[in-house]
Amino acid sequence: MATEQRPFHLVVFGASGFTGQFVTEEVAREQVDPERSSRLPWAVAGRSREKLQRVLEKAALKLGRPTLSSEVGIIICDIANPASLDEMAKQATVVLNCVGPYRFYGEPVIKACIENGASCIDISGEPQFLELMQLKYHEKAADKGVYIIGSSGFDSIPADLGVIYTRNKMNGTLTAVESFLTIHSGPEGLSIHDGTWKSAIYGFGDQSNLRKLRNASNLKPVPLIGPKLKRRWPISYCRELKGYSIPFMGSDVSVVKRTQRYLYENLEESPVQYAAYVTVGGITSVIKLMFAGLFFLFFVRFGIGRQLLIKFPWFFSFGYFSKQGPTQKQIDAASFTLTFFGQGYSQGLGTDKNKPNIKICTQVKGPEAGYVASPIAMVQAAMTLLNDASDLPKAGGVFTPGAAFSKTKLIDRLNKHGIEFSVISSSEV
């Protein structure tokens, strides 16, 4: 990708937002990484110079880098002003877009990036937005040779690359994977900023349009290898993890399916079936979550219900989501484990009539998911775009992380930055 003519390798758009400030900090860390062999000129972008300046000052204080503010460019631009987005995109090799909900604010940034030859990465967990952008802009991005890569945060790099890692570590053909997410919190519990809550409300409130979009895209089904992966009950017990689980409601399943389709259609790789769950602990947690879920699903169907959910996130989510987001203490004490249980066939064994005869268990572990792991994943995805160009899909386009990065060193980069991929067990059954 062309970096010579552009003043900034990376531009963090929405740097003064709740998540943007953590992404800004992470780029500042990357800038002084001892393994870096070259300069990393970068900038922050947003509507208010004062707020952007404050974010840089806060990062400088936290990282003990008093000169940080003077090392980083500032670009003033506004999502409502397309000309200002064009100006930002012209100055960037890669734009890190932190402005959500993406269904409202994501498309103008993608459009500006494609028209002005910049690549773009976001951390959207919104399947409707992600799938629509691929449908609308894949060919335009390919024509320009730029890469638009959504869901490059906690949704859905650990899941998407976790499935690819599991496949690469299996001595044979991986046919199906179930993943179980466990969130660990410290003594002060968990809290998530209500931006994520809003994205979920709008997504669930508009599911009929997602179904229409999928029907309109008219894609041929990907072949089923091995027995069909059975869906678990909405509440099921996971014997291996000794706890109850519910389906994971983020974008992981949508993203992994799109990746598997791409790998099958473009690289002739055997597609993997996938299901995602989140562990919820014991029976008390199950009951609490059932009530929260029923409330949510009832209210999200009506305009006034959605307004109430948005206005009182803390009340309706039983304290999990808040307008303030987590405290630094809560962030420091939290972590996640994503466990993958895969099955498949040893080399040479036919997949048509035989039962799967190999099992594998892998894990992706990392720090707090939303505001530590997401920025790490996003920034390392951007560094991969800048440095591993020869291993990316040949033409540009709109890709999932797995489709863009399956042949790159992104997993190695993540391992070095605290998001660790490992094999727990592997056996012939």
Side-chain angles (χ1 to χ4, degrees), residues 132-148:
L132 181 64
M133 292 304 99
Q134 185 171 21
L135 204 62
K136 276 181 83 167
Y137 291 103
H138 179 69
E139 283 171 15
K140 289 175 185 168
D143 289 344
K144 286 279 193 172
V146 300
Y147 296 86
I148 307 296

Side-chain angles (χ1 to χ4, degrees), residues 160-237:
D160 203 15
L161 291 177
V163 171
I164 288 169
Y165 175 84
T166 307
R167 184 203 66 193
N168 292 348
K169 292 296 178 187
M170 183 180 248
N171 192 14
T173 304
L174 180 69
T175 60
V177 175
E178 290 182 314
S179 71
F180 292 83
L181 168 64
T182 306
I183 298 286
H184 316 279
S185 63
E188 296 195 14
L190 277 178
S191 177
I192 305 168
H193 187 259
D194 74 332
T196 306
W197 174 252
K198 283 178 189 162
S199 296
I201 291 165
Y202 296 126
F204 276 92
D206 201 24
Q207 276 191 308
S208 61
N209 279 325
L210 178 56
R211 280 192 293 274
K212 280 180 199 158
L213 174 67
R214 285 174 176 168
N215 292 337
S217 55
N218 222 350
L219 296 168
K220 269 196 293 199
V222 170
L224 214 59
I225 311 294
K228 190 175 192 318
L229 182 60
K230 289 193 181 87
R231 285 173 77 163
R232 291 172 178 255
W233 289 92
I235 295 167
S236 64
Y237 187 76

Side-chain angles (χ1 to χ4, degrees), residues 183-352:
I183 298 286
H184 316 279
S185 63
E188 296 195 14
L190 277 178
S191 177
I192 305 168
H193 187 259
D194 74 332
T196 306
W197 174 252
K198 283 178 189 162
S199 296
I201 291 165
Y202 296 126
F204 276 92
D206 201 24
Q207 276 191 308
S208 61
N209 279 325
L210 178 56
R211 280 192 293 274
K212 280 180 199 158
L213 174 67
R214 285 174 176 168
N215 292 337
S217 55
N218 222 350
L219 296 168
K220 269 196 293 199
V222 170
L224 214 59
I225 311 294
K228 190 175 192 318
L229 182 60
K230 289 193 181 87
R231 285 173 77 163
R232 291 172 178 255
W233 289 92
I235 295 167
S236 64
Y237 187 76
C238 177
R239 231 179 23 251
E240 296 88 344
L241 298 175
K242 299 183 175 64
Y244 289 92
S245 69
I246 58 172
F248 179 65
M249 294 302 187
S251 60
D252 287 357
V253 172
S254 155
V255 170
V256 170
K257 279 184 175 173
R258 286 165 56 219
T259 292
Q260 292 304 316
R261 170 180 292 283
Y262 173 86
L263 296 177
Y264 168 71
E265 289 177 351
N266 295 274
L267 304 178
E268 296 178 1
E269 292 178 7
S270 178
V272 179
Q273 303 172 63
Y274 177 66
Y277 302 92
V278 56
T279 63
V280 292
I283 202 74
T284 322
S285 304
V286 168
I287 292 164
K288 189 175 161 184
L289 268 161
M290 267 174 65
F291 276 108
L294 289 169
F295 261 125
F296 183 85
L297 291 172
F298 176 74
F299 277 85
V300 85
R301 290 165 62 193
F302 312 104
I304 192 159
R306 291 194 287 276
Q307 284 169 14
L308 286 169
L309 289 169
I310 287 164
K311 199 168 181 188
F312 304 108
W314 191 85
F315 176 77
F316 284 107
S317 70
F318 286 66
Y320 285 118
F321 291 89
S322 72
K323 290 181 187 294
Q324 295 76 36
T327 62
Q328 193 59 50
K329 263 188 182 171
Q330 285 175 314
I331 289 172
D332 293 341
S335 63
F336 77 89
T337 307
L338 191 55
T339 307
F340 298 84
F341 296 104
Q343 62 176 31
Y345 296 85
S346 53
Q347 282 170 339
L349 186 70
T351 58
D352 315 342

Side-chain angles (χ1 to χ4, degrees), residues 104-122:
F104 300 130
Y105 307 121
E107 187 171 355
V109 181
I110 286 176
K111 202 162 172 284
C113 285
I114 293 172
E115 284 171 5
N116 296 284
S119 289
C120 180
I121 289 179
D122 70 46

